[in-house]
Structures are given as structure tokens and as C-alpha cells.
Amino acid sequence: MLRFRLLRPEAKRGIVRRLALAWFLSLSLCLLSVGWPVAESWLSLSLPWRAEVLPLVLAPAMLLAILWTLWFGIALGGMLALLSALFAAWMMHFSLPFILLAGATHLLALLILYLGYRAVPMRPDLSSGKNLLFFLMMVTVSATFASLDVLVGIYARHAGYAELLNLWLGRWLGLLANFVLLVPLLWRYGRRIEHALDTLSWLTRRRVRLTYSLWTTALLLFALLLYVFLAVRLHGAYVEQAFFHFDRIGWPTVALSALQVLQVIHIVLSVLVVFIAYFFYQILQHWTGTLKRTASQLRLLNQKLAELALTDELTGLYNRRHFMAMAKRELANAERHGMPCSLLLIDIDHFKWVNDHYGHLAGDQVLRILGRLLPVLLRPSDLAARYGGEELVVLLRHTPLDEAQEVAERIRQAIAVQTYPDLPASLRVTVSLGVAESRVAEPDLDWLIERTDRALYRAKNGGRNRIECDPGA
């Protein structure tokens, strides 16, 4: 009932209105967190590192943008992060190109996060270790590329490269701290929120597609190359600046400083490479599994098509075309080995009367039940098929005429006492049978069928519910 109400047009309009109100409230909080000095002081922390202090800044705007991106898509979450980043850059008096570039870094980070969760079938509910590991991997990569706005800011202000490294490292750790704060929330309430959003499929529209995997791969490679380029430029500029002032700080200090910068870059780059490799592994595992399932489904469909091409859909017996091909091979093989074969033609008595009085569905049920009964009365090596309409045909391998007559009698008696569940209990169906044995000198299947058909004609004219044999004289 709840799902039905959520799908009603007025319910959709109400949900959209509430969603718009929640988004504007989130935007207000984001702008307040980046524009109010008191909020900035509350969210700023300091972390000792290498006899210096790293400015660790929490970013509620990015935190809210991640939640909106994970649950409602890149349009709402990306717009939230973009407007917050543009406002923060404007508050810091950046020029217009650097303002746009700072917003682009946040949008790139969220786009990678959004596409990553649509490239593989993962859910951000952290209900399993696999989901948790994937979430940590995605947010680490996103934090790395979202922190590139610090590079933009320092270049815009022409600050020193030592300050650049400290600010960038602090920004990266601050974003990671933001994402870590999401872990308890998603672990505790993620599954409930996911179940609630499942009822709003018209709003979220989550699908795993190959195009998302390709776009995510391209963005990750581009972002990784961008990070390597900036890191190399940063290290070169840092070392150049240190060598320029080596007369004051000394050669050992220059070498140690360059090595420490290189270590930081190497650690972050290693984390990126490991997580991106894990992401590629998840993509490969997902699409390999998808291909295996698709191949398995295709095999089942091919088997089903092969069965439909060989069998009669109603009775489950072989169809006439397949029976004729198999029977010709069996007769040729019997001729080579000098073994007899016998053919039975079975005609349901008064079948038109059953259709007229009980309906064609009743006639179909009679054929269906007889199609299941006939193989039980035969050997696995015998061939049974629907010859046409209400006629069935059986080829008995290596069976002379007298034994074939006994099989025919067993079939006639079994059908005479057969009941039909959905039809009146008084209904009894009988059959007439014609039997003929193949001749070694005349192994032609058409001639054998014609002689068997003459025997069947005599059985029907003789009163039905009986057997007539063609001795082949």
C-alpha cells in the first residue's frame, strides 16, 4: 500500500517539493559553513607534522554533497558542491578562472564517486565488508582530487611551495576525516535509507551500465595523470625553491626536505594506484560475471530453441519432421543388421466430439496427458511423436510384429482407463491402433507408414478402440 501511494501523482509532487526544500536547506548550510568566520573557526583543526602544523579543515559542504550524490545523483549533489566551491573561492577573492577551476575540482571528485557507484553493483549502505572497502576506496580517490582546489588557491596567491604542500596535505586529510564521519551514519542507517529509496525508483533510477564503467575508467585515468603532473611540478618547484635558499638552510636540509616531499607524494600516489586497481578489479569481476551469466542464459535459450525445433509444444513428443528423419536412419540401420522394426499409428477415437462438447482446451489437455503417458509405456530406445492432429506415431526398434501387437495392446488398455483431472470423471478416451512391421527388402519409410495407415483405417471401421495389424504379406 505504501509503494502504491508513493507512485500516485500527488505523492510524487509532494516528494519533489520536500526534496527541493531539503536541498535548499543543505545549500544554506553549505554556504554558511564556508562564508561565516565563526563556523570556519569551529571547523578548523591543527595537526602536528614535521615540526610544523597542518591546517586540517572539515568541510560540511562536501559531506552533504556526497550524501546527495550517493542517494539522488550527480545533478543535485554536484550542484551543491559546485555552488559551495564557487562561493568559497569568491570569498577568498580569487580571479574568475581560478574560481571556475576550483569548482571544477569538486565536481570532478563527485562525478568519479557517482560514476563509480554506477559502474559496479555496490550500495553505499556499508552493510558488508566489501561495501565498506569500496566506499573507503571511492572517497579516498575523491578526496585526493577534491583537494586539488588548494593547488589552485596557492598558485592564485603565488604562495611558497612549502606552504602549498602543507595546505594541500591538510586539505586532503581534512576531506578524508569528513568521509570517515560518514561511515557510522551509513553503517547504521544506510540500509534503511536504501530500502526507502528503492520505493522511489522513478526518482533515483540506479542502473549499472557499461558506459558508466568506461566513463569512470577514463575519468580516473585522467585524474591520475593530472595528479602525477601536478605532483611532479610541485616537487620540482619545491626542490628548486629549496636550492635557491640552500645558503641559509644548508645542503642536508635541502636534501631531507626534498626527500620528505617525495615520500608524501609517493604515499598518496601509491594509495591512489592501489585503490584504482581495486576499482578496476571490481569492474572486471562484475562484467566477467555478467558475461558468464549471459552466456549461460544463451545456452539455456539455445537448448530451449533446439527442443522447440525437435518437439511438439503441446504433447512434449517429437514433432513429425524430426520423427521422419530419425525413423529413416533407424530403418536403414535395421536393414544393415537384418533386424525388424515395427510402426504404430495411434488415432484418438471421436476426438472431434471431445472438442465440440468440452472445448478445445479440453482436447489440448487430453493430448498433453497422452503425450506424458506414452513414453512411460515404451522403451527409451523407441521413438514417439505427434504425427498430426489427434494422431500419434511410434517406431519400435528391433521389434517383430507379434511383440509390437503386445505393446499396442498395452497402450490401448492404459489409455482406456486414463483419467483427466480438469474434465468430468465420466470422460474416457479410447484409441484405435494400426501396426505394421518393416520389410527387409522394402525399408522405405513412406511405404511402411502407408501399410500402417491401412491397418489403422480397418481398426476405425471395425468399431474403434481396437488394434489391426498389417502382416506385410
Side-chain angles (χ1 to χ4, degrees), residues 37 62 73-74 76 125 130 171 182 252 275 277-278 292 298 303 323 344 351 360 373 413 439:
M62 197 63 180
I74 188 61
L76 296 177
D125 58 6
K130 188 177 181 180
R171 174 67 167 169
L182 289 177
F275 281 170
Y278 174 75
K292 289 181 179 179
L298 286 176
Q303 292 176 2
F323 173 82
L344 278 63
F351 188 72
H360 287 82
L373 175 64
Q413 293 178 5
R439 296 172 180 174

Side-chain angles (χ1 to χ4, degrees), residues 26-276:
S26 300
L27 179 63
S28 302
L29 291 176
C30 292
L31 298 180
L32 184 64
S33 66
V34 299
W36 190 26
V38 176
E40 183 178 358
S41 64
W42 287 349
L43 299 172
S44 299
L45 303 174
S46 298
L47 182 67
W49 183 70
R50 288 177 42 204
E52 299 179 5
V53 176
L54 289 179
L56 198 67
V57 179
L58 301 179
M62 197 63 180
L63 188 145
L64 291 174
I66 288 174
L67 292 178
W68 279 94
T69 301
L70 288 177
W71 289 330
F72 297 102
I74 188 61
L76 296 177
M79 187 61 66
L80 198 65
L82 182 62
L83 292 176
S84 301
L86 295 179
F87 182 71
W90 178 75
M91 291 290 293
M92 298 175 67
H93 306 291
F94 288 178
S95 62
L96 181 61
F98 287 109
I99 290 177
L100 298 177
L101 191 56
T105 59
H106 287 72
L107 194 58
L108 174 64
L110 288 178
L111 188 59
I112 291 175
L113 183 67
Y114 170 78
L115 291 177
Y117 269 98
R118 279 150 182 82
V120 293
M122 294 287 186
R123 298 172 71 92
D125 58 6
L126 309 189
S127 58
S128 65
K130 188 177 181 180
N131 287 350
L132 177 61
L133 180 60
F134 187 81
F135 175 78
L136 293 177
M137 181 271 293
M138 290 305 302
V139 298
T140 301
V141 174
S142 298
T144 302
F145 300 126
S147 61
L148 294 178
D149 63 340
V150 174
L151 300 179
V152 176
I154 299 301
Y155 277 121
R157 292 186 173 187
H158 305 287
Y161 291 102
E163 180 185 357
L164 169 63
L165 177 65
N166 294 342
L167 286 176
W168 173 77
L169 191 57
R171 174 67 167 169
W172 183 62
L173 293 176
L175 288 171
L176 283 181
N178 281 323
F179 300 148
V180 170
L181 292 177
L182 289 177
V183 172
L185 173 66
L186 295 177
W187 179 78
R188 183 68 179 84
Y189 300 104
R191 178 173 292 184
R192 298 180 184 178
I193 296 175
E194 289 291 316
H195 288 170
L197 291 177
D198 285 341
T199 62
L200 304 176
S201 57
W202 55 272
L203 179 64
T204 54
R205 293 187 178 91
R206 295 183 180 180
R207 294 179 181 176
V208 178
R209 294 180 177 175
L210 182 60
T211 52
Y212 291 153
S213 301
L214 297 177
W215 275 109
T216 308
T217 301
L219 279 177
L220 284 175
L221 292 177
F222 167 76
L224 183 62
L225 291 176
L226 178 62
Y227 170 77
V228 171
F229 171 76
L230 291 176
V232 171
R233 292 290 301 270
L234 168 64
H235 182 256
Y238 189 88
V239 173
E240 181 182 354
Q241 189 180 50
F243 271 106
F244 183 76
H245 299 288
F246 77 95
D247 55 339
R248 290 186 301 164
I249 60 179
W251 286 108
T253 306
V254 170
L256 180 61
S257 178
L259 181 60
Q260 289 175 340
V261 172
L262 189 61
Q263 287 175 344
V264 171
I265 294 174
H266 180 265
I267 290 173
V268 177
L269 183 60
S270 299
V271 171
L272 280 179
V273 170
V274 170
F275 281 170
I276 291 176

